[in-house]
Amino acid sequence: MDVYFDPVPLLGEARTVFQGRWADRQWLNVPGPFYGADTDNCGTGRIFAPALVLYEGEHFTEYVWRQPRTAAELQQLVDAAEAEVFSAYGCDGDDHWTPETVREWWRDRARITAYLAARRPVWEADDEKSGQGTAAAAEAYAAYLDGELAAHLRTYLFWLDERRSPTAADRLPQL
């Protein structure tokens, strides 16, 4: 069983760099406290948080494809948010996600898989110039969608309902 890592209380003063608005978030963000909203297109997010951040294809804005699960990953996301000139990363997703909206996002995940597959040639061409490994990260996101994300989201659903990490005795909700 996954243990829920609650990163938001660890932010401290770094919370001020997360000024993104929920209404502006990218649809590609995975459910959780963090998201990329109306970010710049400077391509800095993956430099700081390559295992957490990807770029949207049309405007090259940043989004969170995997939520941080350790203090080190949280620091990487803080660094990405600090480098983002519009301060458009958000950390208030827990105030907006509900079990129903997480399940709705999960039911629509095929849209993300199709999007990632369609953008692959563009990201491969960009990788030749930038060397950021965006195409490989998109493959990792697709594998995450097909693999361990379901377990992580079930743990997140429990956390949304209970505001605590599940124990071995707890039954996780279904997606």
Side-chain angles (χ1 to χ4, degrees), residues 4 6 8 22 32-33 91-97 156 159-160 163:
Y4 182 73
D6 185 8
V8 176
W22 179 256
C91 68
D92 62 344
D94 293 344
D95 297 336
H96 301 282
W97 286 108
Y156 185 57
W159 189 87
L160 285 174
R163 296 298 174 168

Side-chain angles (χ1 to χ4, degrees), residues 28 30 65 105-106 109-114 116 138-150 153:
L28 295 157
V30 72
W65 71 271
W105 183 93
W106 179 250
R109 71 190 179 280
R111 178 180 171 211
I112 295 171
T113 302
L116 294 171
E139 282 183 30
Y141 187 12
Y144 187 49
L145 283 165
D146 290 339
E148 64 184 340
L149 179 56
L153 288 179

Side-chain angles (χ1 to χ4, degrees), residues 60-79:
F60 217 62
T61 54
E62 300 170 10
Y63 64 93
V64 177
W65 71 271
R66 190 171 66 75
Q67 296 291 324
R69 290 181 279 190
T70 66
E73 288 181 347
L74 175 60
Q75 185 59 57
Q76 292 171 5
L77 195 57
V78 168
D79 293 344

Side-chain angles (χ1 to χ4, degrees), residues 38-57:
D38 202 10
T39 66
D40 66 28
N41 58 1
C42 297
T44 57
R46 290 196 42 73
I47 293 169
F48 295 99
L52 306 173
V53 172
L54 265 170
Y55 306 125
E56 178 269 336

